[in-house]
């Protein structure tokens, strides 16, 4: 089962059921994987979003961030976050290399929640304002990657 990204940013992820502790409990355990819905900011969300992104293009090489791609990604995230409707398409108009920006954002996601937190601090330093909360930044990164794909 693949991870599903819902329009609201939540992720539906497969979860293998745990092993029963006693043989009598074996009848109560469901067979096969179950699912869980993860919300931005919830434990495991960043990792699941990175996995979802890699599932979209399984042949893609691992994400590599360049300096120019990271700068564009910071500006892009700032623009999307500043827009009241979080519109991605207008923010992409100002990006000269969308693929490099996407790679930089993927690279941030692979780093997990601490990488996202550090990235939002860099965005605030470069673009001004306060750092975006990590859960909000992760959701916006998912929206940007969806639009770019």
């Amino acid at each position: 089962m693949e991870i599903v990204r819902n329009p609201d940013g939540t992720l539906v992820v497969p979860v293998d059921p745990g092993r029963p502790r006693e043989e009598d409990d074996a009848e109560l355990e469901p067979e096969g994987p179950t699912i869980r819905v993860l919300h931005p900011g919830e434990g495991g969300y960043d990792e699941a979003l990175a996995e979802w992104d890699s599932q979209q293009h399984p042949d893609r090489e691992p994400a590599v961030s360049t300096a120019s791609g990271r700068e564009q990604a910071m500006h892009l995230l700032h623009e999307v976050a500043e827009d009241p409707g979080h519109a991605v398409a207008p923010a992409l108009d100002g990006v000269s290399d969308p693929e490099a920006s996407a790679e930089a954002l993927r690279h941030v996601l692979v780093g997990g929640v601490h990488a996202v937190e550090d990235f939002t601090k860099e965005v605030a330093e470069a673009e001004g304002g306060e750092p975006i909360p990590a859960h909000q930044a992760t959701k916006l990164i998912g929206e940007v990657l969806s639009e770019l794909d």
Side-chain angles (χ1 to χ4, degrees):
M1 178 178 185
E2 290 191 353
I3 296 171
V4 176
R5 184 178 179 278
N6 295 319
D8 67 356
T10 58
L11 299 170
V12 179
V13 298
V15 179
D16 288 329
R19 296 181 82 151
R21 294 178 192 221
E22 297 180 17
E23 287 184 31
D24 293 340
D25 292 338
E27 296 174 4
L28 303 176
E29 290 293 321
E31 290 185 22
T34 57
I35 61 168
R36 180 168 179 214
V37 177
L38 293 176
H39 296 81
E42 199 171 352
Y45 182 88
D46 292 355
E47 294 82 0
L49 184 60
E51 180 63 27
W52 168 83
D53 183 59
S54 71
Q55 286 175 0
Q56 303 309 300
H57 300 283
D59 297 335
R60 183 175 35 225
E61 297 291 321
V64 176
S65 182
T66 63
S68 64
R70 190 170 179 89
E71 287 175 15
Q72 290 181 64
M74 287 191 296
H75 181 71
L76 179 58
L77 184 63
H78 177 75
E79 289 294 314
V80 172
E82 290 292 306
D83 183 279
H86 300 299
V88 176
L92 287 172
D93 290 339
V95 176
S96 63
D97 190 350
E99 184 59 33
S101 298
E103 287 297 299
L105 292 172
R106 286 184 184 99
H107 192 263
V108 169
L109 285 180
V110 170
V113 68
H114 295 296
V116 174
E117 290 170 344
D118 292 343
F119 185 69
T120 62
K121 290 175 188 172
E122 283 184 62
V123 170
E125 289 172 9
E127 300 289 332
E130 294 296 315
I132 304 164
H135 70 279
Q136 181 183 358
T138 302
K139 182 178 178 185
L140 294 176
I141 289 170
E143 291 173 15
V144 169
L145 292 175
S146 289
E147 183 75 24
L148 288 171
D149 288 339

